[in-house]
Amino acid sequence: MQFIRPVLHSQVCTSARPSARQFLQKLGKSCSFSLNSSSTRLYSTEFFPINDELYGLTDEQKQLRQTIFQFCQKELAPKAQQIDAENDFKDIKKFWRQCGELGLLGVTAPTEYGGLGASYLDHAIVMEEMSRACAAVALSYGAHSNLCVNQIVRHGTDEQKSRYLPKLISGEWIGALAMSEPNAGSDVVSMTMRADKQSDGSYVLNGSKFWITNGPDADVIVVYAKTKPEAGAHGITTFLVERDSPGFSCSRKLDKLGMRGSNTGELVFDGVRVPADRVMGRLDGGVYVLMSGLDIERLLLSAGPLGIMQAACDTAFQYAHIRKAFGQSIGQFQLLQGKMADMYCRLTSGRCYVYSVARALAQGSRQPMDCAGVILKCAEDATQSALDAIQILGGNGYINEYPAGRLLRDAKLYEIGAGTSEVRRLVIGRAINNIYKS
Amino acid sequence: YIHIINKADMAASKGLKILVGCKRVIDYAVKVRVKPDRSGVVTEGVKHSMNPFDEIAVEEAVRMKEKKLAGEAVAISVGPPQSQETLRTALAMGIDRAIHVEIPLAQLEKLQPIHVSKLLAKVCESEKPDLVILGKQAIDDDCNQTGQMLAALLDWPQATFASKIEPSQDSKQLRVTREVDGGLETIDVSVPAVVTSDLRLNEPRYATLPNIMKAKKKPLAKMSPDQLGVDLQPRQEVISVEDPPVRKAGAKVESVEDLVGKLREKGLVK
């Protein structure tokens, strides 16, 4: 007779599941006599399964998801709570190296620079699974791999790519992108940072940037500044600035509501000299780099709230089936069934939207309307799903030992960064107006 | 009786040919449910993955290739059509090619280590590996038999519960460190040999996307038990499968006297 022992957690496991290795260790120390040790086996469905059949993913993409899932659940998820509590990801350099080894920091970068030469959809899958494990670190990852690396891939000269991409992709360097200023967020083209041309052809940057993800840690930053302030939006130029440039500093790390662990900073440029060959793209043509970059950024980052919604389902659905009240598991009560159904539909429809736009983008079709639409939808849905997760966990959802509160605080960022929900609605509305313009 | 094949120094040769066994099992993180008819556990629609000890075996084979101890690593899986996914994972970790011995669904539930070891032995006859690495046991049945049976069928030396595999001092054999109850035992085995992997042998790598894509092009051959001439008649009959009894609450004792008293009550101590 075979005995299998399901052993339920006596309380819902709030930290990530034990990895396969820990599981094997529980099977029986160092001893070969593991015949008796299946008694300590842990069984639980800690993850709400993803039906990859729905999304038309290739076999490689399904395997990619599996790999990133295992990697992030082992290396990142166990630290997520601590990272949030400390507002710092101490092991970021080590984690960046590990990502570098797996090629994750340059998913869309050409292989000649160490990248994977893969598609936006592959990148989105990586972003989603990382966000599921720890949304804050995933945000830093997205800023590095898409906002910085991908912009250099798209607009850098061969010399700039050779100089910056290999170390950014190996994980030796951390990248960032700086466009927003203390007085220019939604109205980013009204930025006041100046880039004054010098007699030797170089530029001197003066001003400050605000809310910059990875700002405190970045080695390389894509910076937008006005080379021709009187030309407004058409006087912006893109620069590549290195951390050790004299006059450059990160004046402070911001203390945020959520995404704690994704270091966000205020960057000060006090007479920072940038050589002429660090201009990226056309002089005064930065607005094109900025705006087209924003579209791709929105698509890629929309996988962030997707991961949060998945994490919300992972946590809440399991809890609902373990927690008992009035003689049965609470997940069987109709009001909670309804909540879980809503969470499921938001997640699944969001995934369909993200993957569709990613595929279209990969094939060269970039529609600002859909890039804005996808992050608008996913961000607001993620906030709602996180609220639902807290509600399902009830009193426990309100305690920081459980991840639901962090999911909400992290989700809210996505309604603001990369263009607020309001701006996204404007973009879509105006695009629709354009269709009917006579 | 130790079967020695007169091989040149391992360092000088083209490297060992390694055969690695991979079993598709219910994923360790899944909550296993017993079927209502108590004939087994529910496997339909349940997440499956490679047996964790087999992942360690695959990793060891790939590392031996990287160290140039091995020249070719072949993965083999005995199981249903879905075992191909398990083999693809092995290929993505760095295995060169794969063999799938497909078992029809009807016979799958009654498959026992005795059958698997016979199938593997037959494959060894044609593939002629120098080393077979298997996971020490599968996490679904915990049998811990296939490796040992295979070695016996082939009349090869075996080194089970390996936590380290390296060339012996004279490079003519393999030195394997085994995890046993008393601690660690180190033995030298001649090749060809069967080794089973234990937890501390290594930490398996993650399959990278480029390797996942390369794996698609690697050869995957299919075989059937009939082709190999192995009879899959079950030797055992599972009478029933049940959940273990719910663990009863214990009792707290205040003092040593209390404890001894309770042990006496239960007749465990005179």
Side-chain angles (χ1 to χ4, degrees):
Chain A
M1 272 200 288
Q2 296 185 52
F3 278 95
I4 301 133
R5 291 167 203 256
V7 174
L8 294 177
H9 294 272
S10 53
Q11 80 163 54
V12 176
C13 187
T14 59
S15 55
R17 69 167 178 182
S19 68
R21 208 163 178 78
Q22 290 169 301
F23 165 75
L24 292 183
Q25 277 161 340
K26 285 183 155 64
L27 269 191
K29 312 174 289 175
S30 60
C31 177
S32 58
F33 279 10
S34 13
L35 297 168
N36 304 324
S37 48
S38 50
S39 53
T40 47
R41 195 176 297 194
L42 292 169
Y43 290 97
S44 63
T45 313
E46 285 186 60
F47 296 97
F48 179 60
I50 299 175
N51 178 13
D52 269 334
E53 304 306 316
L54 269 179
Y55 311 107
L57 296 184
T58 63
D59 285 334
E60 287 88 0
Q61 283 163 341
K62 291 178 195 170
Q63 268 187 287
L64 175 66
R65 187 204 286 291
Q66 268 303 101
T67 299
I68 307 305
F69 169 70
Q70 278 163 16
F71 171 62
C72 290
Q73 289 302 321
K74 182 179 177 216
E75 305 292 340
L76 199 52
K79 303 175 185 170
Q81 197 174 331
Q82 188 187 12
I83 291 173
D84 179 66
E86 294 175 0
N87 192 22
D88 193 22
F89 183 22
K90 293 195 170 59
D91 291 331
I92 187 169
K93 291 248 173 224
K94 175 177 167 225
F95 183 71
W96 241 238
R97 286 293 201 175
Q98 287 173 306
C99 289
E101 276 163 38
L102 291 175
L104 303 181
L105 299 176
V107 177
T108 50
T111 48
E112 66 204 84
Y113 300 107
L116 294 184
S119 72
Y120 288 121
L121 178 49
D122 299 311
H123 200 179
I125 293 172
V126 176
M127 178 75 186
E128 182 190 335
E129 286 298 335
M130 198 179 291
S131 187
R132 180 188 193 174
C134 178
V137 174
L139 182 64
S140 281
Y141 164 77
H144 172 106
S145 59
N146 178 265
L147 276 62
C148 182
V149 170
N150 199 46
Q151 283 291 68
I152 298 176
V153 168
R154 291 175 71 230
H155 300 285
T157 61
D158 287 335
E159 189 271 326
Q160 288 165 347
K161 289 187 217 181
S162 316
R163 185 185 165 89
Y164 294 115
L165 289 181
K167 286 198 183 156
L168 283 170
I169 294 175
S170 72
E172 196 179 324
W173 279 355
I174 296 176
L177 181 143
M179 59 169 79
S180 302
E181 297 182 356
N183 291 314
S186 293
D187 190 8
V188 73
V189 298
S190 73
M191 64 175 76
T192 55
M193 178 181 280
R194 299 178 63 95
D196 296 314
K197 189 158 183 182
Q198 309 298 295
S199 47
D200 64 354
S202 69
Y203 293 84
V204 169
L205 268 54
N206 278 296
S208 62
K209 295 294 187 190
F210 205 47
W211 303 295
I212 305 305
T213 302
N214 297 340
D217 309 297
D219 299 290
V220 179
I221 308 160
V222 175
V223 181
Y224 296 93
K226 289 256 172 89
T227 36
K228 206 192 271 186
E230 63 276 16
H234 297 282
I236 298 174
T237 303
T238 321
F239 295 91
L240 289 164
V241 179
E242 294 176 38
R243 175 199 195 80
D244 52 13
S245 307
F248 169 79
S249 64
C250 174
S251 63
R252 60 187 170 125
K253 183 167 114 170
L254 301 172
D255 177 22
K256 308 189 301 296
L257 169 67
M259 295 303 190
R260 295 170 67 76
S262 172
N263 290 341
T264 316
E266 174 172 23
L267 302 180
V268 175
F269 296 75
D270 187 6
V272 176
R273 199 187 83 83
V274 180
D277 58 3
R278 297 284 167 260
V279 169
M280 199 163 71
R282 206 171 46 81
L283 185 70
D284 299 334
V287 72
Y288 170 72
V289 175
L290 192 157
M291 289 301 177
S292 64
L294 262 177
D295 285 337
I296 301 173
E297 172 187 342
R298 284 170 186 158
L299 177 272
L300 193 276
L301 288 184
S302 67
L306 217 50
I308 295 177
M309 282 195 273
Q310 178 67 44
C313 292
D314 291 339
T315 297
F317 293 7
Q318 184 200 23
Y319 186 89
H321 292 90
I322 294 183
R323 178 77 179 181
K324 288 195 174 9
F326 308 110
Q328 62 187 70
S329 64
I330 60 175
Q332 291 173 308
F333 294 125
Q334 285 182 335
L335 290 173
L336 285 201
Q337 284 174 331
K339 270 206 185 2
M340 291 191 293
D342 289 337
M343 288 171 73
Y344 176 72
C345 289
R346 281 181 218 124
L347 169 62
T348 308
S349 58
R351 211 175 253 140
C352 290
Y353 197 4
V354 174
Y355 291 3
S356 296
V357 179
R359 259 191 214 102
L361 198 63
Q363 272 147 27
S365 164
R366 178 169 58 86
Q367 296 289 2
M369 196 154 91
D370 288 305
C371 296
V374 76
I375 193 171
L376 170 64
K377 190 82 180 70
C378 289
E380 293 188 343
D381 281 351
T383 303
Q384 189 54 51
S385 287
L387 283 169
D388 283 345
I390 293 176
Q391 197 65 17
I392 290 175
L393 266 61
N396 282 335
Y398 210 62
I399 299 179
N400 286 330
E401 274 172 35
Y402 291 79
R406 166 167 52 90
L407 295 180
L408 175 64
R409 289 184 286 109
D410 289 346
K412 190 61 184 164
L413 177 282
Y414 281 115
E415 291 184 56
I416 298 169
T420 59
S421 294
E422 290 72 23
V423 166
R424 295 166 195 169
R425 287 192 162 87
L426 281 182
V427 167
I428 300 169
R430 287 175 187 168
I432 297 174
N433 289 153
N434 254 346
I435 295 172
Y436 292 95
K437 207 159 59 173
S438 48
Chain B
Y1 171 66
I2 298 173
H3 183 68
I4 300 171
I5 288 196
N6 191 12
K7 270 196 163 335
D9 261 17
M10 237 164 268
S13 75
K14 264 191 300 185
L16 303 170
K17 177 175 178 181
I18 307 182
L19 185 67
V20 185
C22 313
K23 185 180 181 186
R24 177 179 180 263
V25 298
I26 295 181
D27 186 82
Y28 74 90
V30 165
K31 181 175 171 185
V32 175
R33 258 176 268 273
V34 178
K35 284 197 224 171
D37 65 2
R38 291 162 47 184
S39 62
V41 296
V42 177
T43 54
E44 268 277 335
V46 165
K47 179 167 180 219
H48 285 68
S49 48
M50 195 191 299
N51 183 37
F53 290 109
D54 299 347
E55 280 180 350
I56 294 172
V58 168
E59 174 66 23
E60 194 61 21
V62 174
R63 286 193 191 185
M64 287 177 80
K65 268 187 60 187
E66 287 168 350
K67 286 188 235 170
K68 306 270 194 273
L69 281 170
E72 189 190 14
V74 183
I76 180 166
S77 188
V78 177
Q82 297 94 320
S83 290
Q84 287 198 35
E85 290 161 20
T86 311
L87 287 170
R88 260 189 251 122
T89 306
L91 293 171
M93 284 171 72
I95 299 290
D96 300 306
R97 61 184 167 87
I99 301 170
H100 177 209
V101 180
E102 191 168 335
I103 305 294
L105 231 50
Q107 294 168 301
L108 194 59
E109 276 197 4
K110 302 201 167 59
L111 200 68
Q112 296 282 315
I114 184 74
H115 306 119
V116 177
S117 51
K118 285 186 178 177
L119 289 164
L120 292 178
K122 274 287 170 177
V123 172
C124 283
E125 271 177 35
S126 49
E127 286 286 332
K128 299 196 191 350
D130 301 305
L131 178 62
V132 178
I133 313 182
L134 304 178
K136 75 170 176 182
Q137 67 194 62
I139 60 170
D140 51 5
D141 55 24
D142 278 341
C143 281
N144 189 351
Q145 295 167 8
T146 307
Q148 293 87 331
M149 284 180 173
L150 176 63
L153 289 168
L154 293 170
D155 198 20
W156 287 4
Q158 59 179 268
T160 52
F161 322 126
S163 65
K164 194 167 185 185
I165 306 175
E166 54 194 335
S168 61
Q169 299 264 170
D170 62 2
S171 295
K172 290 204 195 331
Q173 295 181 307
L174 285 175
R175 175 156 292 181
V176 182
T177 307
R178 305 179 56 226
E179 299 204 359
V180 297
D181 273 351
L184 297 175
E185 179 192 57
T186 308
I187 59 173
D188 283 349
V189 283
S190 313
V191 291
V194 175
V195 172
T196 68
S197 62
D198 208 323
L199 179 65
R200 267 152 291 270
L201 182 57
N202 61 51
E203 213 172 299
R205 66 193 60 195
Y206 300 102
T208 61
L209 183 56
N211 286 336
I212 292 171
M213 294 172 73
K214 273 189 226 155
K216 219 185 181 181
K217 305 194 185 89
K218 293 184 182 175
L220 202 162
K222 264 222 272 226
M223 287 184 193
S224 73
D226 289 333
Q227 279 176 297
L228 294 167
V230 173
D231 155 37
L232 297 185
Q233 263 294 83
R235 306 292 201 274
Q236 299 171 14
E237 184 192 340
V238 173
I239 313 268
S240 86
V241 175
E242 303 177 0
D243 281 309
V246 176
R247 193 175 165 179
K248 292 202 195 69
K252 263 179 121 163
V253 292
E254 297 300 311
S255 67
V256 175
E257 287 78 19
D258 255 344
L259 175 62
V260 173
K262 286 233 155 47
L263 288 173
R264 278 216 183 92
E265 266 175 48
K266 295 198 185 286
L268 297 167
V269 151
K270 291 215 184 73

